[in-house]
Amino acid sequence: MLFATVGQIYVFLWMVGAGAAIGALWALMGALRRLFAAGLWLSLFLDALAGLGTALILIAAMLLGNYGAVRLYELLGAAVGAALFTLGVAPPLRACLCAVGRRFRRLARRMTNFRLIKVIFR
């Protein structure tokens, strides 16, 4: 029985990484939804694409991590990884990207006042 528990911590950590990748995928799909001001059909398409990506990541991680065996601790590891990304990494990353976007818009507004830009893009 002890032999079966030897590598479980490595598989768990592998699945935490897969869960973080899943969290990043869902954050990317949410950002695309906001960027494109998605309506009903585009939201459904992006959700289906994210679900397919989630399934592919989980299946690949289970195949590579534990030879395809499905264990509860693997699924919990993926859930922990997704939660850690969503609660820990995503909010500061989103704040940084919003700050970069504000700076970019401010720079673009300033550039429209330059005479050379007005002459070129008249």
Side-chain angles (χ1 to χ4, degrees):
M1 187 67 176
L2 185 61
F3 182 71
T5 62
V6 169
Q8 286 184 354
I9 187 67
Y10 301 114
V11 175
F12 181 79
L13 292 175
W14 178 259
M15 293 305 291
V16 168
I22 290 169
L25 175 69
W26 279 94
L28 175 68
M29 291 300 170
L32 287 176
R33 193 176 297 117
R34 283 187 298 276
L35 181 67
F36 293 135
L40 175 69
W41 293 108
L42 186 57
S43 290
L44 285 174
F45 175 73
L46 289 175
D47 285 345
L49 198 61
L52 179 66
T54 298
L56 290 176
I57 290 171
L58 273 178
I59 290 169
M62 285 184 187
L63 284 175
L64 293 173
N66 202 15
Y67 306 107
V70 179
R71 305 278 188 255
L72 181 62
Y73 73 91
E74 292 177 342
L75 298 175
L76 289 175
V80 165
L84 283 175
F85 182 86
T86 302
L87 299 175
V89 177
L93 181 64
R94 186 173 179 189
C96 289
L97 290 176
C98 286
V100 167
R102 279 193 303 269
R103 299 267 183 188
F104 183 73
R105 284 189 297 273
R106 188 178 304 149
L107 178 66
R109 244 189 337 258
R110 280 185 163 178
M111 285 180 62
T112 58
N113 293 331
F114 291 149
R115 185 175 188 283
L116 181 62
I117 299 296
K118 287 181 181 180
V119 169
I120 292 173
F121 295 107
R122 189 182 339 202

